[in-house]
């Protein structure tokens, strides 16, 4: 077993044997403590446990852990592939992907889940039967902001209250329908060509909230769902949509004719703005 696999197994055992919702709430409180004498040692410890690379960040000194979690990047650090049909909405690792078949998506090989359970809206789910899906995992040390993968309009946001299971590969192989159990938001609308799309940020253990600019608010465990926010927000490739307040996962649902960009496969490292669909 590799060192990374050992770390992720230990991470799964540790984080799923503690009260997940309470721990996420507590982490939210701790992360926002604005005290450099607390934040700097905490960030130093974080860097010893993970590959936290801050040379791309706009600033190098952070007043709180939260500031580091939600850090912005220096201008032009993530060029946008304007020629692509769709771009990666975040830094991350490409997970399960394919077509929605018989109303189901793959979490990992051998574990499927229903699109209706993910979206919690039968009418919306019907629109995506046969469409393409892509799963992207954001690790704790990565850039946490999410950006638009396409040109279009967000018509509504649905917040779905839920658990905060760990979403690392070990958890995905052990917890069935994990994405359908966790707290999440569904940004849905139409592409510039009038086809339906959905962007589904899924929260996880120690995630204290999901900030979405088009709603002007942070969704977190204090919110009970499902809640629906109507909006009519034009979005463009690379435009910032919001952020996680820790690492997690994004599931994309796009038209069936959008093929995965050449050379990408499960496990590929992605950077926000790179070509994802062609």
């Amino acid at each position: 077993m590799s060192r990374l696999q050992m770390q992720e197994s230990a991470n799964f055992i540790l984080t799923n044997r503690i009260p997940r919702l309470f721990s996420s709430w507590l982490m939210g409180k701790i992360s926002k403590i604005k005290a450099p004498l607390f934040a700097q040692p905490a960030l130093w410890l974080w860097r010893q446990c993970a590959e936290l690379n801050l040379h791309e960040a706009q600033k190098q000194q952070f007043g709180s852990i939260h500031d580091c979690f939600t850090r912005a990047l220096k201008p032009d650090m993530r060029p946008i592939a304007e020629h692509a049909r769709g771009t990666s909405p975040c830094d991350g690792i490409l997970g399960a992907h394919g077509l929605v078949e018989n109303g189901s998506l793959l979490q990992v090989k051998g574990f499927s889940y229903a699109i209706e359970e993910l979206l919690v809206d039968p009418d919306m789910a019907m629109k995506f039967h046969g469409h393409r899906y892509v799963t992207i995992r954001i690790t704790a040390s990565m850039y946490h902001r999410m950006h638009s993968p396409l040109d279009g309009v967000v018509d509504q946001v649905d917040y779905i209250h839920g658990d905060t299971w760990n979403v690392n590969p070990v958890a995905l192989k052990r917890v069935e329908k994990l994405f359908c159990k966790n707290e999440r938001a569904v940004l849905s609308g139409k592409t510039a060509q009038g086809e339906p799309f959905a962007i589904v940020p899924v929260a996880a253990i120690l995630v204290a909230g999901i900030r979405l600019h088009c709603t002007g608010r942070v969704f977190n465990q204090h919110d009970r769902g499902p809640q629906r926010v109507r909006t009519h927000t034009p979005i463009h490739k690379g435009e910032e949509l919001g952020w996680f307040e820790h690492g997690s996962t994004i599931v994309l649902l796009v038209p069936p004719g959008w093929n995965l960009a050449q050379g990408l496969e499960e496990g590929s490292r992605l950077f926000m703005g790179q070509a994802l669909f062609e």
Side-chain angles (χ1 to χ4, degrees):
M1 182 182 291
S2 70
R3 181 183 176 186
L4 178 61
Q5 288 173 319
M6 291 177 65
Q7 287 177 338
E8 291 187 330
S9 293
N11 185 287
F12 173 81
I13 293 169
L14 174 63
T15 58
N16 291 314
R17 278 174 168 70
I18 60 177
R20 292 183 298 276
L21 297 180
F22 173 76
S23 300
S24 297
W25 171 83
L26 182 61
M27 183 61 187
K29 293 291 186 182
I30 293 173
S31 72
K32 292 182 174 68
I33 295 174
K34 288 189 174 294
L37 291 178
F38 169 78
Q40 296 310 314
L43 292 174
W44 179 87
L45 181 61
W46 186 9
R47 297 182 81 158
Q48 307 314 301
C49 301
E51 296 181 8
L52 178 62
N53 192 337
L54 300 177
H55 77 276
E56 297 178 326
Q58 261 187 15
K59 59 182 183 179
Q60 300 297 306
Q61 297 296 318
F62 302 94
S64 68
I65 301 173
H66 175 267
D67 287 344
C68 186
F69 283 162
T70 61
R71 63 189 178 275
L73 298 183
K74 296 173 184 174
D76 303 320
M77 289 304 300
R78 295 290 184 272
I80 308 302
E82 296 290 353
H83 66 280
R85 275 189 169 179
T87 55
S88 180
C90 57
D91 285 10
I93 300 169
L94 182 61
H97 57 87
L99 296 177
V100 179
E101 297 180 342
N102 300 316
S104 295
L105 305 75
L106 281 181
Q107 180 170 293
V108 291
K109 187 177 181 179
F111 267 22
S112 64
Y113 60 98
I115 190 167
E116 187 172 326
E117 291 184 75
L118 177 71
L119 303 180
V120 195
D121 183 330
D123 293 334
M124 185 191 301
M126 284 295 295
K127 297 178 183 178
F128 293 105
H129 283 222
H131 281 230
R132 188 166 302 280
Y133 71 92
V134 167
T135 310
I136 304 172
R137 181 171 71 98
I138 309 168
T139 68
S141 58
M142 289 178 179
Y143 173 60
H144 294 89
R145 300 197 178 201
M146 65 186 92
H147 297 248
S148 177
L150 48 81
D151 295 329
V153 175
V154 175
D155 291 324
Q156 66 186 40
V157 175
D158 291 281
Y159 169 76
I160 302 162
H161 179 78
D163 209 327
T164 54
W165 284 95
N166 196 317
V167 294
N168 74 9
V170 176
L172 295 180
K173 294 174 182 176
R174 298 185 186 183
V175 183
E176 292 189 66
K177 301 181 180 180
L178 194 157
F179 299 145
C180 304
K181 295 176 178 178
N182 273 16
E183 175 187 2
R184 58 199 181 279
V186 180
L187 291 77
S188 57
K190 291 185 178 180
T191 68
Q193 293 74 38
E195 299 173 290
F197 75 87
I199 304 167
V200 187
V202 182
I205 185 75
L206 305 184
V207 173
I210 300 172
R211 165 75 192 198
L212 297 173
H213 298 328
C214 64
T215 65
R217 59 178 292 192
V218 175
F219 289 106
N220 57 37
Q221 290 294 316
H222 294 297
D223 296 292
R224 296 297 167 178
Q227 296 182 31
R228 175 164 290 176
V229 178
R230 299 284 187 184
T231 181
H232 187 77
T233 306
I235 56 175
H236 306 282
K237 287 193 198 85
E239 180 181 352
E240 186 177 293
L241 299 179
W243 56 72
F244 287 109
E245 299 193 351
H246 200 47
S248 196
T249 293
I250 293 177
V251 179
L252 293 179
L253 295 162
V254 297
W258 289 31
N259 297 315
L260 205 62
Q262 190 172 4
L264 294 181
E265 59 185 17
E266 191 166 339
S268 293
R269 177 73 161 89
L270 299 174
F271 292 92
M272 191 284 289
Q274 80 174 77
L276 183 58
F277 300 106
E278 55 187 19

